[in-house]
Amino acid sequence: MKVLVLNGPNLNMLGIREPALYGKGTYNDLVEFIRNVAKELDLDVDIFQSNSEGALVTAIQNAYEQFDGIVINAAAYTHTSVAILDALKAVGLPTAEVHLTDINSREQFRKLSYVSMYAQKTVCGKGFDGYRECLNWLKETAN
Ligand code: DQA
């Protein structure tokens, strides 16, 4: 089973950006964590990070008929991007949304998630473990 893991803007700054919120783990630590979980679950993963909305839309489009599911942390684009929502709808793959922090207990503007309007599963506020939960969910439901 092939899963595409997408990470949006500023997640490449993990470890540096607001460590009190996002923790001290770096983006490379997150990538290593995801790879280890994928190995445990016997999933084939591609991991892609971009600060650009268009690059994320293109990555979602390119997943069509190439992947069996998507795990996405669209970061700030979660709260703004109709384009990412439309791309997810267009390819129609099982999709799990993940956030390191609990977007529902932060600023008001983070409570709106366009990704949630398509994603069949959302995990937030569990740090790196949220990615594990999403990969596990995809394995259980989309296989
Ligand atoms: C985030 C939450 C978003 O609101 C924020 O813009 C991010 C990261 C998270 O993983 O907690 O960049 O998606």
Side-chain angles (χ1 to χ4, degrees):
M1 182 177 176
K2 281 190 72 179
V3 177
L4 178 63
V5 179
L6 291 174
N7 288 307
N10 301 305
L11 290 170
N12 57 313
M13 297 293 283
L14 284 177
I16 297 166
R17 75 181 291 209
E18 302 178 87
L21 267 180
Y22 294 108
K24 288 191 181 145
T26 65
Y27 186 67
N28 283 343
D29 294 336
L30 176 60
V31 168
E32 197 186 323
F33 177 86
I34 294 166
R35 291 206 186 289
N36 286 335
V37 171
K39 206 177 274 176
E40 274 169 37
L41 297 176
D42 197 24
L43 296 171
D44 192 351
V45 280
D46 270 14
I47 306 167
F48 176 70
Q49 188 275 332
S50 181
N51 295 322
S52 149
E53 183 178 16
L56 292 164
V57 167
T58 300
I60 294 165
Q61 290 180 1
N62 290 342
Y64 181 66
E65 289 188 335
Q66 301 300 316
F67 288 87
D68 303 300
I70 294 175
V71 173
I72 182 165
N73 183 349
Y77 294 137
T78 304
H79 318 296
T80 61
S81 182
V82 177
I84 288 175
L85 169 63
D86 284 351
L88 291 170
K89 285 180 168 175
V91 303
L93 289 169
T95 297
E97 172 186 17
V98 61
H99 300 283
L100 298 162
T101 61
D102 180 6
I103 55 172
N104 293 308
S105 64
R106 296 181 60 190
E107 301 95 325
Q108 191 63 28
F109 67 83
R110 293 188 205 273
K111 290 187 177 151
L112 172 67
S113 166
Y114 286 96
V115 173
S116 288
M117 293 175 201
Y118 175 76
Q120 297 85 46
K121 166 100 179 160
T122 299
V123 180
C124 50
K126 297 188 176 172
F128 286 8
D129 274 337
Y131 287 78
R132 179 197 298 281
E133 203 170 316
C134 287
L135 288 168
N136 221 358
W137 175 83
L138 273 178
K139 180 165 175 146
E140 299 292 306
T141 54
N143 215 349

